[in-house]
Amino acid sequence: MTTHADLGLDLDVSDTDAVADRRDEIVAAVRDHAGTIAYQLAKLQGGDYGRRELSTPGGTWTVKHEAGELEFLLFSPKSGSDVYVISTKQPPDPTDLAAALDDYANLVAAWNEYVASLSGVLDGVSAEFPEPASTDGVVAERDRVLGAIRQTCTLIAGEIHRYEGDDYGTYTARVDGDRWELKWDEGTVSYLRVGGSGGLYLLSQYEAPSAADVREYADSFRGFVEAYNEFVDDLESDLATAEL
C-alpha cells in the first residue's frame, strides 16, 4: 500500500484553527460595535431598512440595516477589492479583515462627525401649521350625485335583467363620442364605466371617482339615460309590429 511517505508527502500541514478563531472573535466584536451604528441609523432614517455611506481617508464604508439590525458592513478601499467585514454570508479573509480594520476607527469618527453635523438642524423650525381644509362638503356633494347615478343605473340594470333574462350582462351606448358601459349582475349594478376598458369608473366596487370627474361626466350621464330610453322605445316599436 502506498503511503504519504512513499509519495514524498510526509509534511506537516499547519492548523488554521487559531487564525479562524481569532478572526471570528474580531468579527463578532465588530458586529456588536457597528450594530450600534446601524441601530442609530435606523432611528434616524425611520424606516424598516436603509443604508449610509461614509467616506474615510482609507475609502468608503457602507452600513446597511434591516429593522435596526446590522445587515452588512462593507469597506471599499481606495485601492483594492471590497471587503464585507460583516455580512450574512461567509466571514472575511483574515488579511482583508486586518486591512479594513486599520481604517475602522476612521469609520466611527466619520459617523460621529455626521451625527454632529445634524445637531441643531431643526432648531427654529416651527411645528405649528395651518389647519387643513375639510373635504366633507365636496365629498357629500360627490356622494349625492353618485347616489342619484347609482339609483338610476340600478333601475336600468333591473329592467335589462328582466328583459334579457340572463343573470349578468352589459348595456353600452355612445354619448358625445364616449363609450359608456353599464355592467349588471342579477339586477344590480356591477360598474358604470366611461371610455372603454381603460376608462373612468363612475360606479364600481372599489374607490369612488374624484369630484372633478363626477362633475365632468354628470351631464353626459343624462345622455346615457336618454340613449337607454331610446333603446327601450325601439324595442317596444319592434314588438308592436309583431303579430301572433
Side-chain angles (χ1 to χ4, degrees):
M1 178 179 178
T2 303
T3 65
H4 289 168
D6 295 334
L7 297 175
L9 299 177
D10 191 13
L11 305 171
D12 291 336
V13 177
S14 298
D15 193 334
T16 62
D17 286 350
V19 176
D21 289 346
R22 179 58 178 160
R23 186 267 318 278
D24 293 345
E25 179 184 348
I26 292 174
V27 167
V30 173
R31 182 184 294 278
D32 287 343
H33 191 272
T36 302
I37 296 177
Y39 175 73
Q40 295 297 330
L41 178 62
K43 287 204 302 182
L44 181 63
Q45 293 183 331
D48 290 336
Y49 55 89
R51 65 171 66 201
R52 179 77 190 180
E53 292 185 355
L54 296 162
S55 297
T56 65
T60 301
W61 291 81
T62 303
V63 181
K64 187 175 187 299
H65 73 85
E66 183 170 351
E69 298 290 333
L70 179 64
E71 186 171 1
F72 71 69
L73 178 64
L74 171 66
F75 177 56
S76 302
K78 290 185 176 179
S79 62
S81 302
D82 290 353
V83 181
Y84 279 92
V85 177
I86 304 295
S87 75
T88 57
K89 300 179 181 178
Q90 65 190 39
D93 176 83
T95 302
D96 293 338
L97 176 63
L101 290 185
D102 282 343
D103 194 62
Y104 182 75
N106 293 325
L107 162 65
V108 179
W111 168 257
N112 291 342
E113 182 179 349
Y114 168 64
V115 174
S117 72
L118 300 176
S119 178
V121 70
L122 295 176
D123 289 355
V125 176
S126 174
E128 307 222 352
F129 310 109
E131 188 70 23
S134 172
T135 62
D136 288 350
V138 176
V139 171
E141 283 301 294
R142 179 198 65 191
D143 292 348
R144 178 185 64 81
V145 176
L146 285 180
I149 291 175
R150 181 174 292 277
Q151 183 178 16
T152 301
C153 287
T154 298
L155 292 173
I156 294 175
E159 292 299 323
I160 296 179
H161 175 232
R162 187 172 58 151
Y163 163 74
E164 295 286 353
D166 294 331
D167 288 339
Y168 58 89
T170 59
Y171 168 73
T172 62
R174 189 162 291 277
V175 180
D176 297 331
D178 291 322
R179 185 178 187 273
W180 288 66
E181 181 176 270
L182 170 63
K183 183 178 180 182
W184 48 271
D185 188 349
E186 295 186 348
T188 61
V189 179
S190 180
Y191 66 73
L192 176 64
R193 184 174 64 199
V194 187
S197 60
L200 172 75
Y201 285 84
L202 274 178
L203 301 176
S204 74
Q205 299 173 348
Y206 303 102
E207 63 186 27
S210 70
D213 288 334
V214 173
R215 178 183 179 86
E216 180 180 356
Y217 290 106
D219 287 339
S220 297
F221 178 69
R222 293 187 177 88
F224 174 73
V225 177
E226 290 171 357
Y228 166 75
N229 289 339
E230 290 177 5
F231 166 72
V232 174
D233 289 343
D234 289 342
L235 286 178
E236 290 179 348
S237 176
D238 290 343
L239 291 174
T241 62
E243 294 183 4
L244 296 178

